[in-house]
Amino acid sequence: MSLADLGSSYWRLQAIGESRRHAIRHKTCNASKCMYRAPRAVMPDWARIRADTPAAEKVLHFNNAGSALPTQQVTKAQHDYLELEASTGGYEALIQEAEAMEKPYTALAQLLNCHPDEIAITTSSTASWFQVFGGLNLKAGDRILTSISEYGSNFLAYLQAIKRQQVEVEIIPEDAEGDVDILALEKLVAAGTSKPALIAITHIPTSSGRVYTHAAAVGAIAQREGIPYLLDATQSIGQMPIDVQQLQCDYLTSTGRKFLRAPRGTGLLYASRAAMARAEPAMVDVHGAVWTGRHDYKLVPSAKRYELYEMSYAAKMGLGLAAEYVLEIGIEAVWKRVQHIAGMLRQQLQELKGVTVQDRGRLLCGIVSFTMEGKRPEDVKQALGEEKINVSISPANSTLLDFSQRGLTKVLRASVHYYNTEEEVHRFLEALKPL
């Protein structure tokens, strides 16, 4: 089976699974108030959807894994909210738009298949991740199991924990196809005098199109052994179906600005009810907890305990609309479209002399990483930028263990989304040929 066939099969299974989950939910819910929707049966009008992003006609944006172009609806909502703040006052605007401020929770809960009270809105994926990691009360000798492709900011936190708390960090090997080696993970879990205090992996690395398809198997092991499981899905949310029940993760973090196409300065955290009962956030303020006495406080009974009061409420408004927008299209259709555009780009890049596509794995996503023989990534990025084509560069320190293992220092990263087109792929390749 080809990678394209495997991707299509994966998408079909996700759609079938969502249909079944939706049917199960409706046995116990009020259908008129149910926040979950069955998958769309009608193919989206991609031309109309692209028209919601006027900037797409001004720039060829293949940097969605960095920060995607927002829709005009999201941008307008931000502008309107800022105008409301300016004309009525910040506190007063928040009171007036209180109902709209709940949209991020309900929409993201639908997208992730969880309860709205298990969603927290933060300022970034890293802020979400640190709120979880810093609240685990790790101590000397505690073992952390992580992946070869773990994101740099996460690994820096591990290094600080080694220095400050004398924890131990162990790397889960990958199998021959570049996925988490489940048998090796089982051995690591069983090794040592105590079971690991945390399993934390990155679902899609920042520097490659690879998807860890064994993420759910990792979750099954973590649940069986009672080990907290923290999944960094920064590059996943908004481009592919993500079901936290199927993944069996205790925590999941992501950002708004990437494939979700929300404003910069927004992030999200899923924390299961069971996980919230076991551990506190790294820090709380009067938004996430109530000060009840000189020596006492009480956490709010939802994932909002992970939030801090101050943030851009205009950005939060945009996050809610962005999440609703992808739900309206249908995440299954988005995933199929992303794989189609990325597959076309990846295949045609492989046909260019001197170009090496650096993605590997049994399932690939909208991130396409490549190198060009004899060319500095910085020079290629600048030349493309002069043609109004946006790409980015992933340096080794973003995923140091993975790059060191593969002998890479930097890669060019072209990341596509559903609003990109086949014609843009051709234009991109024509721009690369003279280089």
Side-chain angles (χ1 to χ4, degrees):
M1 178 180 288
S2 69
L3 288 176
D5 290 336
L6 181 59
S8 296
S9 297
Y10 179 88
W11 175 81
R12 286 194 298 271
L13 288 172
Q14 288 288 334
I16 293 169
E18 177 58 24
S19 296
R20 290 173 178 168
R21 288 191 296 273
H22 184 259
I24 291 170
R25 292 185 188 115
H26 270 291
K27 290 180 180 179
T28 56
C29 73
N30 183 332
S32 65
K33 297 181 179 180
C34 179
M35 67 181 178
Y36 301 100
R37 306 176 192 175
R40 293 174 60 98
V42 179
M43 177 63 68
D45 183 343
W46 297 116
R48 182 193 62 77
I49 289 169
R50 180 178 169 86
D52 283 339
T53 309
E57 301 305 325
K58 301 176 182 178
V59 63
L60 196 166
H61 194 70
F62 279 5
N63 192 15
N64 294 285
S67 186
L69 298 178
T71 65
Q72 57 189 351
Q73 292 91 328
V74 167
T75 302
K76 184 178 186 302
Q78 286 183 274
H79 288 172
D80 289 349
Y81 189 82
L82 290 173
E83 288 289 343
L84 182 63
E85 282 190 329
S87 62
T88 65
Y91 280 30
E92 291 72 18
L94 184 57
I95 293 171
Q96 186 172 325
E97 294 292 340
E99 183 176 348
M101 288 301 169
E102 292 302 309
K103 286 184 179 181
Y105 304 97
T106 54
L108 290 169
Q110 180 178 344
L111 196 61
L112 301 183
N113 188 23
C114 65
H115 297 278
D117 65 8
E118 294 175 307
I119 295 291
I121 307 303
T122 67
T123 56
S124 70
S125 184
T126 298
S128 299
W129 195 95
F130 283 172
Q131 274 286 68
V132 172
F133 184 73
L136 295 178
N137 293 322
L138 298 171
K139 59 186 184 301
D142 278 348
R143 301 163 60 214
I144 299 171
L145 306 186
T146 191
S147 57
I148 290 173
S149 294
E150 188 71 339
Y151 182 53
S153 293
N154 302 350
F155 211 93
L156 288 173
Y158 303 148
L159 296 178
Q160 285 189 311
I162 291 172
K163 182 184 295 186
R164 296 171 178 173
Q165 295 146 289
Q166 291 77 54
V167 304
E168 300 173 5
V169 177
E170 302 171 36
I171 309 303
I172 308 167
E174 293 179 342
D175 61 22
E177 293 186 282
D179 214 322
V180 177
D181 188 326
I182 296 302
L183 291 178
L185 174 60
E186 290 276 19
K187 292 179 181 178
L188 282 173
V189 168
T193 56
S194 62
K195 66 184 176 184
L198 174 68
I199 298 176
I201 66 173
T202 297
H203 190 228
I204 297 175
T206 187
S207 53
S208 167
R210 169 179 47 190
V211 180
Y212 272 155
T213 63
H214 287 168
V218 174
I221 294 171
Q223 289 298 317
R224 185 192 72 207
E225 299 294 332
I227 303 169
Y229 178 28
L230 170 56
L231 185 63
D232 184 334
T234 301
Q235 297 291 4
S236 310
I237 307 300
Q239 73 158 317
M240 67 181 295
I242 294 293
D243 184 332
V244 294
Q245 310 305 325
Q246 186 261 341
L247 289 166
Q248 298 189 65
C249 54
D250 295 292
Y251 309 97
L252 179 144
T253 64
S254 191
T255 188
R257 75 176 191 269
K258 297 178 184 290
F259 290 97
L260 197 53
R261 305 183 65 197
R264 295 202 69 170
T266 58
L268 63 103
L269 165 66
Y270 158 76
S272 73
R273 290 171 175 175
M276 284 190 278
R278 292 194 299 263
E280 294 191 357
M283 62 178 293
V284 294
D285 67 6
V286 293
H287 176 72
V290 178
W291 188 12
T292 57
R294 181 176 175 84
H295 303 289
D296 299 297
Y297 63 91
K298 185 176 181 179
L299 295 171
V300 299
S302 73
K304 289 181 179 179
R305 65 183 63 184
Y306 291 94
E307 301 178 357
L308 299 179
Y309 176 74
E310 192 56 44
M311 68 173 301
S312 168
Y313 287 94
K316 186 175 182 179
M317 177 79 77
L319 174 63
L321 286 178
E324 288 185 333
Y325 191 88
V326 72
L327 287 170
E328 182 61 31
I329 297 173
I331 190 60
E332 295 85 7
V334 165
W335 178 226
K336 188 175 184 179
R337 172 75 174 176
V338 167
Q339 287 189 299
H340 166 65
I341 299 294
M344 172 185 286
L345 175 59
R346 200 173 279 115
Q347 179 180 351
Q348 295 188 29
L349 277 173
Q350 291 172 332
E351 297 171 0
L352 291 183
K353 184 178 180 181
V355 173
T356 302
V357 175
Q358 297 294 346
D359 301 327
R360 68 188 186 98
R362 58 173 55 89
L363 181 64
L364 303 178
C365 68
I367 298 175
V368 181
S369 62
F370 64 99
T371 52
M372 298 182 68
E373 185 178 355
K375 302 292 182 181
R376 294 174 66 247
E378 295 84 354
D379 295 335
V380 176
K381 181 178 182 293
Q382 180 177 345
L384 292 173
E386 292 171 358
E387 298 294 324
K388 297 189 181 302
I389 299 174
N390 295 341
V391 296
S392 62
I393 298 169
S394 290
N397 64 8
S398 64
T399 48
L400 185 62
L401 298 183
D402 177 53
F403 270 38
S404 298
Q405 181 175 273
R406 295 197 283 155
L408 297 171
T409 55
K410 296 177 182 178
V411 297
L412 287 154
R413 186 182 70 180
S415 47
V416 304
H417 215 336
Y418 58 82
Y419 62 85
N420 292 125
T421 66
E422 293 87 346
E423 187 278 330
E424 286 184 315
V425 171
H426 295 311
R427 179 183 159 201
F428 180 79
L429 292 164
E430 288 302 313
L432 278 183
K433 287 178 181 178
L435 304 179

PDB file of all heavy atoms in Angstrom, residues 157-188:
ATOM      1  N   ALA A 157      12.851  22.257  29.040  1.00  0.00           N
ATOM      2  CA  ALA A 157      12.227  22.102  30.359  1.00  0.00           C
ATOM      3  C   ALA A 157      12.725  20.834  31.047  1.00  0.00           C
ATOM      4  O   ALA A 157      12.919  20.822  32.271  1.00  0.00           O
ATOM      5  CB  ALA A 157      10.711  22.076  30.216  1.00  0.00           C
ATOM      6  N   TYR A 158      12.928  19.769  30.276  1.00  0.00           N
ATOM      7  CA  TYR A 158      13.486  18.543  30.857  1.00  0.00           C
ATOM      8  C   TYR A 158      14.890  18.802  31.404  1.00  0.00           C
ATOM      9  O   TYR A 158      15.241  18.347  32.500  1.00  0.00           O
ATOM     10  CB  TYR A 158      13.563  17.422  29.820  1.00  0.00           C
ATOM     11  CG  TYR A 158      12.267  17.048  29.163  1.00  0.00           C
ATOM     12  CD1 TYR A 158      12.258  16.587  27.845  1.00  0.00           C
ATOM     13  CD2 TYR A 158      11.057  17.134  29.837  1.00  0.00           C
ATOM     14  CE1 TYR A 158      11.079  16.232  27.212  1.00  0.00           C
ATOM     15  CE2 TYR A 158       9.873  16.772  29.214  1.00  0.00           C
ATOM     16  CZ  TYR A 158       9.888  16.336  27.900  1.00  0.00           C
ATOM     17  OH  TYR A 158       8.723  15.993  27.274  1.00  0.00           O
ATOM     18  N   LEU A 159      15.687  19.524  30.630  1.00  0.00           N
ATOM     19  CA  LEU A 159      17.061  19.801  31.059  1.00  0.00           C
ATOM     20  C   LEU A 159      17.076  20.639  32.336  1.00  0.00           C
ATOM     21  O   LEU A 159      17.915  20.422  33.223  1.00  0.00           O
ATOM     22  CB  LEU A 159      17.828  20.506  29.944  1.00  0.00           C
ATOM     23  CG  LEU A 159      18.037  19.694  28.661  1.00  0.00           C
ATOM     24  CD1 LEU A 159      18.772  20.514  27.614  1.00  0.00           C
ATOM     25  CD2 LEU A 159      18.786  18.398  28.941  1.00  0.00           C
ATOM     26  N   GLN A 160      16.152  21.582  32.430  1.00  0.00           N
ATOM     27  CA  GLN A 160      16.048  22.349  33.672  1.00  0.00           C
ATOM     28  C   GLN A 160      15.630  21.457  34.836  1.00  0.00           C
ATOM     29  O   GLN A 160      16.133  21.604  35.955  1.00  0.00           O
ATOM     30  CB  GLN A 160      15.044  23.486  33.510  1.00  0.00           C
ATOM     31  CG  GLN A 160      15.557  24.657  32.682  1.00  0.00           C
ATOM     32  CD  GLN A 160      14.610  25.847  32.741  1.00  0.00           C
ATOM     33  OE1 GLN A 160      13.408  25.699  32.550  1.00  0.00           O
ATOM     34  NE2 GLN A 160      15.151  27.020  32.998  1.00  0.00           N
ATOM     35  N   ALA A 161      14.722  20.530  34.579  1.00  0.00           N
ATOM     36  CA  ALA A 161      14.271  19.618  35.640  1.00  0.00           C
ATOM     37  C   ALA A 161      15.400  18.687  36.078  1.00  0.00           C
ATOM     38  O   ALA A 161      15.497  18.321  37.262  1.00  0.00           O
ATOM     39  CB  ALA A 161      13.068  18.809  35.161  1.00  0.00           C
ATOM     40  N   ILE A 162      16.251  18.306  35.130  1.00  0.00           N
ATOM     41  CA  ILE A 162      17.429  17.501  35.497  1.00  0.00           C
ATOM     42  C   ILE A 162      18.327  18.292  36.433  1.00  0.00           C
ATOM     43  O   ILE A 162      18.809  17.779  37.458  1.00  0.00           O
ATOM     44  CB  ILE A 162      18.198  17.081  34.228  1.00  0.00           C
ATOM     45  CG1 ILE A 162      17.386  16.078  33.416  1.00  0.00           C
ATOM     46  CG2 ILE A 162      19.558  16.500  34.593  1.00  0.00           C
ATOM     47  CD1 ILE A 162      17.980  15.767  32.057  1.00  0.00           C
ATOM     48  N   LYS A 163      18.544  19.565  36.101  1.00  0.00           N
ATOM     49  CA  LYS A 163      19.430  20.415  36.900  1.00  0.00           C
ATOM     50  C   LYS A 163      18.817  20.757  38.259  1.00  0.00           C
ATOM     51  O   LYS A 163      19.489  20.720  39.283  1.00  0.00           O
ATOM     52  CB  LYS A 163      19.727  21.701  36.125  1.00  0.00           C
ATOM     53  CG  LYS A 163      20.683  22.650  36.840  1.00  0.00           C
ATOM     54  CD  LYS A 163      20.860  23.947  36.042  1.00  0.00           C
ATOM     55  CE  LYS A 163      21.533  23.689  34.717  1.00  0.00           C
ATOM     56  NZ  LYS A 163      21.827  24.974  34.010  1.00  0.00           N
ATOM     57  N   ARG A 164      17.536  21.074  38.278  1.00  0.00           N
ATOM     58  CA  ARG A 164      16.901  21.557  39.501  1.00  0.00           C
ATOM     59  C   ARG A 164      16.375  20.445  40.401  1.00  0.00           C
ATOM     60  O   ARG A 164      16.420  20.553  41.631  1.00  0.00           O
ATOM     61  CB  ARG A 164      15.730  22.485  39.143  1.00  0.00           C
ATOM     62  CG  ARG A 164      16.146  23.752  38.434  1.00  0.00           C
ATOM     63  CD  ARG A 164      14.907  24.492  37.930  1.00  0.00           C
ATOM     64  NE  ARG A 164      15.243  25.749  37.274  1.00  0.00           N
ATOM     65  CZ  ARG A 164      14.373  26.524  36.634  1.00  0.00           C
ATOM     66  NH1 ARG A 164      13.090  26.156  36.570  1.00  0.00           N
ATOM     67  NH2 ARG A 164      14.761  27.653  36.069  1.00  0.00           N
ATOM     68  N   GLN A 165      15.842  19.384  39.775  1.00  0.00           N
ATOM     69  CA  GLN A 165      15.160  18.349  40.559  1.00  0.00           C
ATOM     70  C   GLN A 165      15.792  16.974  40.437  1.00  0.00           C
ATOM     71  O   GLN A 165      15.304  16.016  41.023  1.00  0.00           O
ATOM     72  CB  GLN A 165      13.688  18.282  40.112  1.00  0.00           C
ATOM     73  CG  GLN A 165      12.904  19.556  40.412  1.00  0.00           C
ATOM     74  CD  GLN A 165      11.843  19.844  39.352  1.00  0.00           C
ATOM     75  OE1 GLN A 165      12.156  20.204  38.221  1.00  0.00           O
ATOM     76  NE2 GLN A 165      10.586  19.692  39.734  1.00  0.00           N
ATOM     77  N   GLN A 166      16.868  16.869  39.646  1.00  0.00           N
ATOM     78  CA  GLN A 166      17.599  15.603  39.457  1.00  0.00           C
ATOM     79  C   GLN A 166      16.698  14.490  38.920  1.00  0.00           C
ATOM     80  O   GLN A 166      16.766  13.328  39.361  1.00  0.00           O
ATOM     81  CB  GLN A 166      18.258  15.154  40.773  1.00  0.00           C
ATOM     82  CG  GLN A 166      19.408  16.035  41.232  1.00  0.00           C
ATOM     83  CD  GLN A 166      18.917  17.342  41.849  1.00  0.00           C
ATOM     84  OE1 GLN A 166      18.103  17.324  42.772  1.00  0.00           O
ATOM     85  NE2 GLN A 166      19.402  18.467  41.340  1.00  0.00           N
ATOM     86  N   VAL A 167      15.823  14.830  37.984  1.00  0.00           N
ATOM     87  CA  VAL A 167      15.020  13.801  37.326  1.00  0.00           C
ATOM     88  C   VAL A 167      15.873  13.105  36.272  1.00  0.00           C
ATOM     89  O   VAL A 167      16.981  13.543  35.954  1.00  0.00           O
ATOM     90  CB  VAL A 167      13.757  14.403  36.674  1.00  0.00           C
ATOM     91  CG1 VAL A 167      12.930  15.163  37.697  1.00  0.00           C
ATOM     92  CG2 VAL A 167      14.122  15.292  35.488  1.00  0.00           C
ATOM     93  N   GLU A 168      15.356  12.025  35.738  1.00  0.00           N
ATOM     94  CA  GLU A 168      16.034  11.290  34.672  1.00  0.00           C
ATOM     95  C   GLU A 168      15.169  11.325  33.419  1.00  0.00           C
ATOM     96  O   GLU A 168      13.949  11.146  33.498  1.00  0.00           O
ATOM     97  CB  GLU A 168      16.277   9.839  35.102  1.00  0.00           C
ATOM     98  CG  GLU A 168      17.138   9.712  36.353  1.00  0.00           C
ATOM     99  CD  GLU A 168      17.224   8.284  36.845  1.00  0.00           C
ATOM    100  OE1 GLU A 168      16.684   7.377  36.149  1.00  0.00           O
ATOM    101  OE2 GLU A 168      17.813   8.069  37.913  1.00  0.00           O
ATOM    102  N   VAL A 169      15.789  11.577  32.278  1.00  0.00           N
ATOM    103  CA  VAL A 169      15.076  11.635  31.002  1.00  0.00           C
ATOM    104  C   VAL A 169      15.562  10.506  30.113  1.00  0.00           C
ATOM    105  O   VAL A 169      16.765  10.390  29.851  1.00  0.00           O
ATOM    106  CB  VAL A 169      15.268  12.999  30.305  1.00  0.00           C
ATOM    107  CG1 VAL A 169      14.567  13.007  28.953  1.00  0.00           C
ATOM    108  CG2 VAL A 169      14.749  14.127  31.186  1.00  0.00           C
ATOM    109  N   GLU A 170      14.630   9.686  29.650  1.00  0.00           N
ATOM    110  CA  GLU A 170      14.956   8.548  28.791  1.00  0.00           C
ATOM    111  C   GLU A 170      14.237   8.696  27.460  1.00  0.00           C
ATOM    112  O   GLU A 170      13.082   9.122  27.412  1.00  0.00           O
ATOM    113  CB  GLU A 170      14.561   7.243  29.483  1.00  0.00           C
ATOM    114  CG  GLU A 170      15.240   7.059  30.839  1.00  0.00           C
ATOM    115  CD  GLU A 170      14.675   5.882  31.616  1.00  0.00           C
ATOM    116  OE1 GLU A 170      14.322   4.857  30.989  1.00  0.00           O
ATOM    117  OE2 GLU A 170      14.566   5.988  32.853  1.00  0.00           O
ATOM    118  N   ILE A 171      14.933   8.341  26.392  1.00  0.00           N
ATOM    119  CA  ILE A 171      14.411   8.535  25.040  1.00  0.00           C
ATOM    120  C   ILE A 171      13.787   7.234  24.524  1.00  0.00           C
ATOM    121  O   ILE A 171      14.422   6.176  24.547  1.00  0.00           O
ATOM    122  CB  ILE A 171      15.518   8.987  24.072  1.00  0.00           C
ATOM    123  CG1 ILE A 171      16.273  10.198  24.651  1.00  0.00           C
ATOM    124  CG2 ILE A 171      14.928   9.309  22.712  1.00  0.00           C
ATOM    125  CD1 ILE A 171      15.386  11.384  24.963  1.00  0.00           C
ATOM    126  N   ILE A 172      12.555   7.330  24.065  1.00  0.00           N
ATOM    127  CA  ILE A 172      11.877   6.174  23.484  1.00  0.00           C
ATOM    128  C   ILE A 172      12.401   5.979  22.060  1.00  0.00           C
ATOM    129  O   ILE A 172      12.294   6.891  21.234  1.00  0.00           O
ATOM    130  CB  ILE A 172      10.351   6.388  23.440  1.00  0.00           C
ATOM    131  CG1 ILE A 172       9.817   6.788  24.815  1.00  0.00           C
ATOM    132  CG2 ILE A 172       9.655   5.135  22.921  1.00  0.00           C
ATOM    133  CD1 ILE A 172       8.387   7.319  24.783  1.00  0.00           C
ATOM    134  N   PRO A 173      12.942   4.835  21.727  1.00  0.00           N
ATOM    135  CA  PRO A 173      13.436   4.617  20.361  1.00  0.00           C
ATOM    136  C   PRO A 173      12.305   4.639  19.334  1.00  0.00           C
ATOM    137  O   PRO A 173      11.119   4.499  19.675  1.00  0.00           O
ATOM    138  CB  PRO A 173      14.059   3.216  20.435  1.00  0.00           C
ATOM    139  CG  PRO A 173      14.308   2.967  21.886  1.00  0.00           C
ATOM    140  CD  PRO A 173      13.207   3.689  22.602  1.00  0.00           C
ATOM    141  N   GLU A 174      12.676   4.823  18.079  1.00  0.00           N
ATOM    142  CA  GLU A 174      11.725   4.748  16.978  1.00  0.00           C
ATOM    143  C   GLU A 174      11.910   3.432  16.244  1.00  0.00           C
ATOM    144  O   GLU A 174      12.990   2.836  16.254  1.00  0.00           O
ATOM    145  CB  GLU A 174      11.924   5.915  16.014  1.00  0.00           C
ATOM    146  CG  GLU A 174      11.563   7.256  16.627  1.00  0.00           C
ATOM    147  CD  GLU A 174      11.771   8.423  15.679  1.00  0.00           C
ATOM    148  OE1 GLU A 174      12.495   8.251  14.676  1.00  0.00           O
ATOM    149  OE2 GLU A 174      11.226   9.506  15.942  1.00  0.00           O
ATOM    150  N   ASP A 175      10.835   2.977  15.590  1.00  0.00           N
ATOM    151  CA  ASP A 175      10.928   1.754  14.805  1.00  0.00           C
ATOM    152  C   ASP A 175      11.489   2.069  13.424  1.00  0.00           C
ATOM    153  O   ASP A 175      11.875   3.212  13.122  1.00  0.00           O
ATOM    154  CB  ASP A 175       9.573   1.049  14.726  1.00  0.00           C
ATOM    155  CG  ASP A 175       8.492   1.896  14.060  1.00  0.00           C
ATOM    156  OD1 ASP A 175       8.826   2.825  13.295  1.00  0.00           O
ATOM    157  OD2 ASP A 175       7.293   1.621  14.298  1.00  0.00           O
ATOM    158  N   ALA A 176      11.530   1.084  12.562  1.00  0.00           N
ATOM    159  CA  ALA A 176      12.147   1.252  11.248  1.00  0.00           C
ATOM    160  C   ALA A 176      11.439   2.277  10.381  1.00  0.00           C
ATOM    161  O   ALA A 176      12.037   2.844   9.458  1.00  0.00           O
ATOM    162  CB  ALA A 176      12.186  -0.103  10.529  1.00  0.00           C
ATOM    163  N   GLU A 177      10.157   2.552  10.661  1.00  0.00           N
ATOM    164  CA  GLU A 177       9.391   3.514   9.870  1.00  0.00           C
ATOM    165  C   GLU A 177       9.328   4.890  10.515  1.00  0.00           C
ATOM    166  O   GLU A 177       8.574   5.751  10.077  1.00  0.00           O
ATOM    167  CB  GLU A 177       7.982   2.976   9.625  1.00  0.00           C
ATOM    168  CG  GLU A 177       7.970   1.739   8.735  1.00  0.00           C
ATOM    169  CD  GLU A 177       6.557   1.318   8.382  1.00  0.00           C
ATOM    170  OE1 GLU A 177       5.894   0.702   9.248  1.00  0.00           O
ATOM    171  OE2 GLU A 177       6.121   1.617   7.264  1.00  0.00           O
ATOM    172  N   GLY A 178      10.107   5.086  11.566  1.00  0.00           N
ATOM    173  CA  GLY A 178      10.150   6.398  12.191  1.00  0.00           C
ATOM    174  C   GLY A 178       9.015   6.687  13.139  1.00  0.00           C
ATOM    175  O   GLY A 178       8.733   7.847  13.432  1.00  0.00           O
ATOM    176  N   ASP A 179       8.363   5.664  13.638  1.00  0.00           N
ATOM    177  CA  ASP A 179       7.279   5.844  14.602  1.00  0.00           C
ATOM    178  C   ASP A 179       7.777   5.430  15.987  1.00  0.00           C
ATOM    179  O   ASP A 179       8.862   4.853  16.128  1.00  0.00           O
ATOM    180  CB  ASP A 179       6.060   4.997  14.204  1.00  0.00           C
ATOM    181  CG  ASP A 179       4.740   5.656  14.560  1.00  0.00           C
ATOM    182  OD1 ASP A 179       4.678   6.292  15.630  1.00  0.00           O
ATOM    183  OD2 ASP A 179       3.788   5.544  13.772  1.00  0.00           O
ATOM    184  N   VAL A 180       6.993   5.723  17.006  1.00  0.00           N
ATOM    185  CA  VAL A 180       7.346   5.282  18.350  1.00  0.00           C
ATOM    186  C   VAL A 180       7.427   3.757  18.374  1.00  0.00           C
ATOM    187  O   VAL A 180       6.506   3.068  17.922  1.00  0.00           O
ATOM    188  CB  VAL A 180       6.295   5.772  19.373  1.00  0.00           C
ATOM    189  CG1 VAL A 180       6.624   5.247  20.765  1.00  0.00           C
ATOM    190  CG2 VAL A 180       6.231   7.295  19.382  1.00  0.00           C
ATOM    191  N   ASP A 181       8.520   3.239  18.899  1.00  0.00           N
ATOM    192  CA  ASP A 181       8.704   1.792  19.002  1.00  0.00           C
ATOM    193  C   ASP A 181       7.965   1.313  20.256  1.00  0.00           C
ATOM    194  O   ASP A 181       8.446   1.506  21.381  1.00  0.00           O
ATOM    195  CB  ASP A 181      10.195   1.462  19.094  1.00  0.00           C
ATOM    196  CG  ASP A 181      10.471  -0.031  19.003  1.00  0.00           C
ATOM    197  OD1 ASP A 181       9.641  -0.827  19.490  1.00  0.00           O
ATOM    198  OD2 ASP A 181      11.526  -0.405  18.447  1.00  0.00           O
ATOM    199  N   ILE A 182       6.808   0.713  20.073  1.00  0.00           N
ATOM    200  CA  ILE A 182       5.958   0.339  21.194  1.00  0.00           C
ATOM    201  C   ILE A 182       6.589  -0.760  22.054  1.00  0.00           C
ATOM    202  O   ILE A 182       6.489  -0.733  23.287  1.00  0.00           O
ATOM    203  CB  ILE A 182       4.560  -0.091  20.690  1.00  0.00           C
ATOM    204  CG1 ILE A 182       3.863   1.110  20.027  1.00  0.00           C
ATOM    205  CG2 ILE A 182       3.712  -0.606  21.847  1.00  0.00           C
ATOM    206  CD1 ILE A 182       3.689   2.314  20.933  1.00  0.00           C
ATOM    207  N   LEU A 183       7.257  -1.712  21.430  1.00  0.00           N
ATOM    208  CA  LEU A 183       7.911  -2.764  22.212  1.00  0.00           C
ATOM    209  C   LEU A 183       9.027  -2.185  23.073  1.00  0.00           C
ATOM    210  O   LEU A 183       9.183  -2.571  24.245  1.00  0.00           O
ATOM    211  CB  LEU A 183       8.477  -3.839  21.272  1.00  0.00           C
ATOM    212  CG  LEU A 183       7.449  -4.694  20.535  1.00  0.00           C
ATOM    213  CD1 LEU A 183       8.159  -5.693  19.609  1.00  0.00           C
ATOM    214  CD2 LEU A 183       6.551  -5.436  21.525  1.00  0.00           C
ATOM    215  N   ALA A 184       9.781  -1.245  22.505  1.00  0.00           N
ATOM    216  CA  ALA A 184      10.835  -0.591  23.284  1.00  0.00           C
ATOM    217  C   ALA A 184      10.238   0.229  24.423  1.00  0.00           C
ATOM    218  O   ALA A 184      10.794   0.271  25.530  1.00  0.00           O
ATOM    219  CB  ALA A 184      11.674   0.303  22.373  1.00  0.00           C
ATOM    220  N   LEU A 185       9.098   0.869  24.169  1.00  0.00           N
ATOM    221  CA  LEU A 185       8.434   1.630  25.225  1.00  0.00           C
ATOM    222  C   LEU A 185       8.004   0.713  26.361  1.00  0.00           C
ATOM    223  O   LEU A 185       8.168   1.048  27.544  1.00  0.00           O
ATOM    224  CB  LEU A 185       7.226   2.377  24.646  1.00  0.00           C
ATOM    225  CG  LEU A 185       6.341   3.106  25.662  1.00  0.00           C
ATOM    226  CD1 LEU A 185       7.132   4.156  26.428  1.00  0.00           C
ATOM    227  CD2 LEU A 185       5.139   3.746  24.958  1.00  0.00           C
ATOM    228  N   GLU A 186       7.452  -0.438  26.012  1.00  0.00           N
ATOM    229  CA  GLU A 186       7.041  -1.403  27.049  1.00  0.00           C
ATOM    230  C   GLU A 186       8.238  -1.778  27.932  1.00  0.00           C
ATOM    231  O   GLU A 186       8.109  -1.867  29.160  1.00  0.00           O
ATOM    232  CB  GLU A 186       6.459  -2.656  26.390  1.00  0.00           C
ATOM    233  CG  GLU A 186       5.110  -2.460  25.717  1.00  0.00           C
ATOM    234  CD  GLU A 186       3.940  -2.561  26.690  1.00  0.00           C
ATOM    235  OE1 GLU A 186       4.157  -2.433  27.914  1.00  0.00           O
ATOM    236  OE2 GLU A 186       2.802  -2.767  26.216  1.00  0.00           O
ATOM    237  N   LYS A 187       9.387  -1.972  27.324  1.00  0.00           N
ATOM    238  CA  LYS A 187      10.587  -2.340  28.090  1.00  0.00           C
ATOM    239  C   LYS A 187      11.039  -1.199  28.988  1.00  0.00           C
ATOM    240  O   LYS A 187      11.447  -1.415  30.137  1.00  0.00           O
ATOM    241  CB  LYS A 187      11.705  -2.744  27.134  1.00  0.00           C
ATOM    242  CG  LYS A 187      11.440  -4.047  26.385  1.00  0.00           C
ATOM    243  CD  LYS A 187      12.574  -4.377  25.423  1.00  0.00           C
ATOM    244  CE  LYS A 187      12.276  -5.667  24.659  1.00  0.00           C
ATOM    245  NZ  LYS A 187      13.365  -5.975  23.673  1.00  0.00           N
ATOM    246  N   LEU A 188      10.958   0.028  28.479  1.00  0.00           N
ATOM    247  CA  LEU A 188      11.352   1.176  29.290  1.00  0.00           C
ATOM    248  C   LEU A 188      10.425   1.351  30.482  1.00  0.00           C
ATOM    249  O   LEU A 188      10.866   1.669  31.591  1.00  0.00           O
ATOM    250  CB  LEU A 188      11.340   2.451  28.433  1.00  0.00           C
ATOM    251  CG  LEU A 188      12.520   2.668  27.489  1.00  0.00           C
ATOM    252  CD1 LEU A 188      12.266   3.890  26.605  1.00  0.00           C
ATOM    253  CD2 LEU A 188      13.814   2.847  28.280  1.00  0.00           C
TER     254      LEU A 188
END
